């Protein structure tokens, strides 16, 4: 089951990344942020369960920053894309 969570989380993050690189999604798009929140959240959960502290730090922060972007966007204060 852990492998399935890891693969699903990684695929969500990679889908967002590939879509952004292919210019199909903007990095401030709701879909991009949601894919990152779900993917990194799943990986953070798995890392916490496995007591992999470095991986938990990486994925936990990734999830929180993505969530922050979603909340800012919902409030109408989404950050503009980097130039």
């Amino acid at each position: 089951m852990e492998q399935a969570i890891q693969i699903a989380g990684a695929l969500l993050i990679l889908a967002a990344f590939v879509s952004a690189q292919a210019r199909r999604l903007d990095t401030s798009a709701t879909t991009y942020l949601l894919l990152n929140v779900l993917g990194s959240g799943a990986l953070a959960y798995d890392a916490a369960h496995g007591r992999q502290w470095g991986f938990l730090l990486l994925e936990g922060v990734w999830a929180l920053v993505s969530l922050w972007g979603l909340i800012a966007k919902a409030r109408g204060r989404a950050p503009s894309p980097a130039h």
Side-chain angles (χ1 to χ4, degrees):
M1 183 65 167
E2 290 177 13
Q3 291 292 315
I5 292 171
Q6 291 173 5
I7 290 170
L11 286 173
L12 289 169
I13 292 170
L14 289 171
F17 179 70
V18 169
S19 295
Q21 293 302 306
R23 299 182 191 256
R24 296 197 179 267
L25 276 180
D26 188 89
T27 57
S28 62
T30 301
T31 303
Y32 177 85
L33 294 169
L34 191 58
L35 287 169
N36 276 295
V37 165
L38 294 173
S40 58
L43 291 173
Y45 170 82
D46 188 62
H49 182 65
R51 297 179 186 212
Q52 298 173 355
W53 307 123
F55 193 46
L56 175 59
L57 175 63
L58 172 67
E59 295 303 331
V61 170
W62 193 314
L64 290 173
V65 170
S66 298
L67 183 60
W68 178 29
L70 276 174
I71 292 168
K73 188 168 185 75
R75 292 181 175 170
R77 295 183 282 150
S80 59
H83 295 278

